[in-house]
Amino acid sequence: MRGFQPQALSNARRARGLSQAELARSAGMNPGTIRKWELGESSPQVDLLAKVADLLDLAVADLVKVPEEERYPGDWRVLRGMTQPQLGAAAGVTTRIVGSVERGEISLSDNAARRLSAALGISEAELRASYERVRNRPLGAPA
């Protein structure tokens, strides 16, 4: 996950006096998962990270930092704590369209831009700018 800050998670957990095992138990996860996230050994799934952030009274954006001028469409979704299926449902488009837009594989239609930007709570201009960045990223760079 682009921009995930393992130290921010560790700091937030410790500030609340929770062990990795306690946080994992509350989130219905394996304690090893939290440990791996905090060590930067694995990247969280957005839905699980959203659950953990909620338990810590945080927003996903407190644990994921991607400068606005560098964001891709997928970054906006992650910062909202949404999976691709959740965004698709909220926007009234298919998960396939969400994924293809996030990877810059298809053209961003006016209809999809309007629906996705509304579901993400950002302007169409912000969505289009992030789409152009992902579309023009260097070959081999992840979306």
Side-chain angles (χ1 to χ4, degrees):
M1 171 181 299
R2 283 173 31 104
F4 173 63
Q5 306 289 303
Q7 193 62 49
L9 174 59
S10 179
N11 291 345
R13 176 185 56 77
R14 287 184 176 132
R16 283 154 184 80
L18 298 174
S19 69
Q20 291 173 342
E22 287 175 307
L23 181 58
R25 180 181 53 78
S26 293
M29 299 166 49
N30 183 311
T33 301
I34 300 292
R35 182 185 61 76
K36 287 180 181 179
W37 290 359
E38 289 185 0
L39 292 174
E41 293 177 0
S42 69
S43 185
Q45 292 175 215
V46 67
D47 54 336
L48 296 178
L49 184 60
K51 191 173 194 177
V52 166
D54 187 54
L55 288 168
L56 295 172
D57 294 318
L58 299 172
V60 172
D62 295 320
L63 303 173
V64 177
K65 303 291 183 193
V66 179
E68 197 166 322
E69 67 278 2
E70 296 176 18
R71 290 180 187 162
Y72 295 159
D75 297 326
W76 286 109
R77 175 182 53 77
V78 166
L79 291 170
R80 300 304 187 260
M82 301 172 84
T83 62
Q84 287 182 345
Q86 288 170 333
L87 176 55
V93 300
T94 66
T95 301
R96 185 172 155 264
I97 288 174
V98 171
S100 296
V101 166
E102 287 185 358
R103 292 183 299 274
E105 295 172 346
I106 63 172
S107 295
L108 180 59
S109 70
D110 290 342
N111 184 47
R114 186 179 67 256
R115 289 170 174 259
L116 290 169
S117 63
L120 290 168
I122 61 174
S123 70
E124 282 187 52
E126 286 173 307
L127 180 64
R128 288 187 181 284
S130 66
Y131 170 78
E132 288 304 317
R133 280 190 286 277
V134 78
R135 188 108 162 128
N136 295 307
R137 72 188 185 283
L139 291 175

